[in-house]
Amino acid sequence: MTDTTDTTDTTDTTVRVSVRKPPGEQAPPRRVWTVALAGLGALLCSLDVVVVATALPALRADFGASLSQLEWTINAYNLVFACLTLTGAALGDRFGRRRMYVVGLAVFTLASAAAALADGPGLLITARVVQGAGAAVLLPLTLTLISEAFPAEKRGMAIGVWGGVTGLGVAAGPVLGGAVTEGLSWQWIFWLNVPIGLAMLPLAAAKLRESHGTSPQLDFVGLVLAAVGLTGLAWAPVRAPEAGWGSAEVLTALLVGAVFVAGFLGWERRGARYPMLPLGYFRRRAFSTANAAAFLLFGSLLGALFMITQLFQFGLGYSPLEAGVRILVWNAMPLLVAPVAGALADRFGTRPFMLTGLALQATGLGLLAWQVEPGVGYGQMVVPLIVAGIGISMVFPSVANAVTSSVPLSDAGVAAGVNNALRELGGVFGVAVAAAVFTTYGGYGSPAAFLDGCAPALWVSAGAAAAGAVVAAFAPGRR
């Protein structure tokens, strides 16, 4: 509410009115800086999810990397990202969101330099682990900072811009990775993060407003239980293509993950004095359906991306740059559509955009899988890629808006942390399942063998998006 104070000057009868902004609402210039810096942070994090994809053939040739090692260059980042993002959100709530944003950005920047200097797959994967830890702090706080800066009725547009920039990272990743790998070397896909990060650090420290969550102390027991549980659940599908789903390693990882997640839920319900995750939020349909949709969205997206980037190079014979440019018709759509979808979601609600978007994503990937066979040309793939891209664009901002709007503003960090954890975990499962299906039906022996495995993997990715559409249908209507 606006607080007004009227002061009348008795000498000139001039009435002066001072207006105080409502709590949580920031002045326009600071809002612009918040959206810009949060968007750039999200851009870096999302870029490094996919930028390695078009460099996979170069890594395989340079290091003699196996399929498992290629998976780990993507999954090491996503695994740590998924497992620590709840921790990153909790650290921001406790120690300050601006402060931890700066810390996460610094860690991410240093790890990028280490990845560029790696001289083997082991060191590269280790650097990607540290990168994922930095991103786990950085990304959830981007959404929290925006939610804290804007009132609920204006948040959709801001989150739409955030979603568009996130989409730009996904879109630019394959193109940038291909161009840099072909024109310079794969190392430069990591070096590019360094000057951007160094330029952002002083700006973030000076321009972002500090804020905290409501919990006066960290829930250390909850942090450990959540981290171990999510690691176990993510480790299993990552290792399953090589070790086998019935292996002792995979079954033990699943069991440990399930036990620790159950322990985390029990602790949060009964033992934690200041729980890091109020479980009651999952009884809210807006919160639970949006998070489930995010898990399936990213499982479908990253699983498909893992296959499509290699399809264009190994299956169709394009160079890394040529592959990246051709993928742009798919991944550039969020940059164009997401801001519009975010603004319209403020007016019409998030459910129509989540439901329609996931249905379009499933349709596009299904059409693409249907086309993948010997003799297929790029022209046959353009329309399916555009359809899937428009669908993804509608879901990005709608899911984020639904999650953060379903909880009190003071818990926006918790909501963002849960959402990012589940979507990154979905990406880990998506890549692992796509790789497992691919190796079951095909392989790298020849382009024809690759196509034999690629089509079923894409069908699975389409099925994940279709499942997400079913979940989105149960989301509440316009509030």
Side-chain angles (χ1 to χ4, degrees):
M1 294 181 61
T2 302
D3 180 20
T4 61
T5 303
D6 295 349
T7 304
T8 304
D9 189 324
T10 57
T11 60
D12 61 8
T13 66
T14 301
V15 177
R16 299 191 300 273
V17 180
S18 64
V19 180
R20 187 179 306 150
K21 290 190 176 297
E25 185 176 346
Q26 299 179 15
R30 191 173 290 274
R31 286 185 188 174
V32 172
W33 277 111
T34 300
V35 173
L37 290 167
L40 281 172
L43 173 64
L44 289 177
C45 294
S46 59
L47 188 66
D48 272 67
V49 171
V50 296
V51 73
V52 181
T54 42
L56 292 178
L59 289 170
R60 189 158 63 94
D62 197 4
F63 290 152
S66 64
L67 175 62
S68 175
Q69 289 172 324
L70 293 178
E71 282 186 72
W72 273 108
T73 61
I74 296 177
N75 278 334
Y77 180 85
N78 291 338
L79 179 66
V80 177
F81 201 164
C83 296
L84 295 185
T85 190
L86 272 176
T87 302
L91 291 172
D93 284 351
R94 176 64 182 87
F95 297 110
R97 290 154 180 166
R98 179 185 63 189
R99 180 180 293 113
M100 294 311 301
Y101 179 93
V102 171
V103 170
L105 180 60
V107 171
F108 182 91
T109 303
L110 290 173
S112 296
L117 294 171
D119 59 0
L123 291 176
L124 175 59
I125 291 168
T126 300
R128 292 282 283 168
V129 167
V130 181
Q131 253 195 328
V137 176
L138 186 60
L139 186 61
L141 296 181
T142 64
L143 194 54
T144 308
L145 289 165
I146 289 176
S147 298
E148 197 271 337
F150 288 83
E153 67 273 10
K154 298 179 180 179
R155 199 174 296 154
M157 173 66 80
I159 291 179
V161 174
W162 174 90
V165 173
T166 303
L168 175 62
V170 176
V175 179
L176 183 63
V180 171
T181 300
E182 187 173 334
L184 297 170
S185 68
W186 64 262
Q187 287 88 347
W188 280 94
I189 64 180
F190 298 110
W191 278 126
L192 290 176
N193 293 335
V194 177
I196 297 173
L198 292 176
M200 288 174 61
L201 284 169
L203 289 173
K207 299 297 184 180
L208 295 176
R209 191 175 77 172
E210 188 62 282
S211 63
H212 296 76
T214 56
S215 178
Q217 66 184 47
L218 281 176
D219 175 15
F220 286 105
V221 174
L223 290 177
V224 172
L225 290 172
V228 175
L230 291 174
T231 300
L233 292 180
W235 186 272
V238 168
R239 289 289 299 142
E242 184 172 349
W245 284 99
S247 66
E249 178 186 354
V250 170
L251 294 177
T252 300
L254 285 173
L255 178 61
V256 170
V259 168
F260 274 80
V261 167
F264 169 73
L265 297 176
W267 171 258
E268 295 298 293
R269 183 183 297 275
R270 299 184 183 88
R273 184 178 181 184
Y274 301 104
M276 61 182 291
L277 175 59
L279 298 181
Y281 289 155
F282 284 100
R283 291 195 291 269
R284 303 181 181 186
R285 278 196 299 148
F287 185 81
S288 57
T289 53
N291 278 303
F295 178 90
L296 293 165
L297 165 71
F298 269 73
S300 171
L301 171 60
L302 293 188
L305 183 65
F306 180 75
M307 297 310 309
I308 291 171
T309 52
Q310 296 185 82
L311 166 66
F312 281 7
Q313 294 179 74
F314 193 81
L316 302 183
Y318 293 117
S319 70
L321 177 58
E322 291 170 338
V325 171
R326 283 161 175 78
I327 293 171
L328 197 59
V329 297
W330 174 35
N331 285 340
M333 290 297 109
L335 181 62
L336 304 175
V337 178
V340 178
L344 292 175
D346 279 339
R347 182 176 180 184
F348 298 106
T350 56
R351 180 175 65 183
F353 296 93
M354 285 195 295
L355 175 58
T356 305
L358 283 160
L360 287 174
Q361 183 181 355
T363 301
L365 292 180
L367 288 172
L368 187 65
W370 183 47
Q371 299 281 3
V372 172
E373 59 183 7
V376 65
Y378 175 69
Q380 298 168 260
M381 301 181 182
V382 172
V383 171
L385 288 172
I386 292 175
V387 170
I390 293 173
I392 294 166
S393 307
M394 298 173 71
V395 186
F396 270 162
S398 303
V399 163
N401 197 357
V403 168
T404 54
S405 298
S406 64
V407 302
L409 181 59
S410 59
D411 280 342
V414 173
V418 172
N419 184 245
N420 281 286
L422 289 174
R423 77 180 201 173
E424 297 306 323
L425 193 62
V428 171
F429 272 84
V431 172
V433 172
V437 173
F438 169 74
T439 55
T440 299
Y441 293 96
Y444 291 110
S446 66
F450 183 91
L451 294 177
D452 288 341
C454 184
L458 289 175
W459 277 116
V460 171
S461 295
V470 173
V471 170
F474 290 94
R478 182 183 176 190
R479 291 182 298 280

